[in-house]
Each structure stands twice: as structure tokens, then as C-alpha cells.
Amino acid sequence: MKIFCIGRNYVDHIHELKNEVPESMVIFLKPETALHHHTIPWTLPDFSNDLHYECEIVLKIDKKGKNILEAEAESFFKEISLGIDFTARDIQAQLKEKGLPWEKAKAFDHSAIVGDFIDKSSFNLADLNFTLTKNNLLAQNGFTKKMIHSFSGIISELSRYFTLEFGDLIFTGTPAGVAAVKQGDLYQGCIEGVKVLEFKVS
Ligand code: MG
């Protein structure tokens, strides 16, 4: 399986990191070894002093597809969850400055926590609210209507370059509110008030 991630999909997050709004979709991948289920204890890696959380809606692809039309894209996933695209911001800043690939900052072991998947059918995907709390305080409050690229647009564009397969995951971008993770932090994530993600940092 593959883990796709979309970067810079929420304007408020682009501005908080002082990035430019991209002309085309920013796409990167994480390997399968990045995947980490939220019920397994998560430990801070030792190579970063500025490890950030980025809470994102995650789509689970459930059939194979290539060159998928936007109008048909919603039939390629049934379940959604929340995930954290962990980012070693200090390492990413060094790599970005030199125009180098991001993998050391974004694709390391356990850099993609995912929560429990829930059926998408009871939700309006174009207008979902999702939240991440850190130690019971609101840290991120996202609205999918503020995405630059919709879920269908993301699936269609990804499938121009990559064959989508059963079990692939797509992290769809983070809203504003990213910050450094600290040992002992407790994170909880909800989609429309339904808790799907909870983990403690050790
Ligand atoms: Mg991200």
C-alpha cells in the first residue's frame, strides 16, 4: 500500500508557514513503514527538536483506479478517518532551503498516525468539520469547504500519475494550528464530533 499526502491545501495553513499558494497540487508519499495505528503508543523520534503535528482527513481507497474522472472519484473510497502527518519542521526547513526532497522530514517510521475509519455515507464531504485537541484544548479546527483541492479533485489528479490500489491512504492536507509535539501530550481528533483518533506521546 501507499500513503499519499497533499501539501498546502488550506490557505490559512499556507500563510502560517509563510509559504506561497502553489500553482498546482503539492503531492508527496510516505512508505508503508510510516503507518502507525493510534492505539499503539507513539514515541518522539530523537532526530528532531521541532516535531510538528498536522491533523488531516484521511481517505482509504477501496478499489484500483487509474486516470479517474473527478465525477467518479467518490466511488473509489467508502471510509474516512483522521491522521497526523508528523513533520520534523527543523529538518524540513533545511531541506526546503536547499531545494532537496522532504522524505527525512516527512516519511520516517511512524510519521503517519491514523485513527479509526468510519463510513463516509452519513457525512457531507464538501462541508466537514474536523478538530484536533491537544491536552483538551482546541489546536486545529478544519473545514473541508476551505480546501483548495476537493477530495474528488485530489483522487483524480493523483491517479494521473499513480495507480491507486485497495488500501492506499490519502492525507488531504492540514488547516492552520500546527505546532510542536511534546512528551506527555494527549491528542484527540473528531470528525463532526465523532472521536476517531486518540494518542499520547511518550
Ligand atoms: Mg500535511
Side-chain angles (χ1 to χ4, degrees):
M1 58 84 69
K2 305 181 285 300
I3 303 169
F4 297 103
C5 300
I6 306 305
R8 302 182 195 171
N9 201 23
Y10 288 82
V11 173
D12 57 353
H13 172 64
I14 294 172
H15 288 155
E16 78 175 338
L17 292 187
K18 298 184 172 61
N19 283 318
E20 285 176 17
V21 176
E23 285 175 21
S24 58
M25 199 179 291
V26 175
I27 296 167
F28 59 95
L29 282 85
K30 296 183 189 239
E32 197 168 344
T33 44
L35 189 61
H36 189 92
H37 194 259
H38 70 133
T39 55
I40 300 166
W42 194 85
T43 308
L44 270 170
D46 61 6
F47 49 75
S48 173
N49 294 313
D50 194 22
L51 196 97
H52 280 202
Y53 57 80
E54 295 187 359
C55 184
E56 315 197 358
I57 299 256
V58 180
L59 316 179
K60 187 192 274 182
I61 294 297
D62 80 336
K63 65 178 179 184
K64 194 169 181 173
K66 176 74 182 167
N67 293 323
I68 299 164
L69 297 175
E70 208 166 317
E72 292 168 3
E74 279 201 17
S75 71
F76 282 79
F77 68 104
K78 290 194 181 79
E79 293 181 313
I80 60 174
S81 187
L82 288 178
I84 304 290
D85 164 22
F86 282 108
T87 304
R89 197 70 71 199
D90 44 359
I91 297 174
Q92 187 193 31
Q94 294 165 13
L95 296 169
K96 272 166 70 178
E97 194 182 302
K98 293 177 180 161
L100 293 169
W102 283 354
E103 276 81 354
K104 282 200 289 184
K106 286 275 199 185
F108 53 87
D109 287 355
H110 315 304
S111 60
I113 280 194
V114 288
D116 296 325
F117 281 86
I118 53 175
D119 195 304
K120 71 171 185 183
S121 57
S122 60
F123 299 110
N124 174 6
L125 298 179
D127 191 12
L128 279 180
N129 171 241
F130 62 103
T131 56
L132 181 74
T133 61
K134 172 182 173 176
N135 303 326
N136 297 311
L137 295 172
L138 187 64
Q140 291 191 275
N141 190 20
F143 297 89
T144 59
K145 65 184 175 195
K146 293 189 174 175
M147 292 192 297
I148 296 172
H149 303 287
S150 68
F151 297 153
S152 294
I154 289 168
I155 286 172
S156 178
E157 178 72 1
L158 283 175
S159 72
R160 289 177 63 200
Y161 302 91
F162 309 99
T163 299
L164 303 191
E165 296 173 296
F166 180 86
D168 286 351
L169 301 179
I170 305 174
F171 281 63
T172 55
T174 197
V178 303
V181 174
K182 297 277 184 290
Q183 209 166 41
D185 282 350
L186 172 69
Y187 293 88
Q188 293 169 311
C190 294
I191 298 174
E192 293 292 347
V194 180
K195 188 163 83 175
V196 295
L197 178 74
E198 179 173 320
F199 65 95
K200 198 167 180 178
V201 178
S202 60

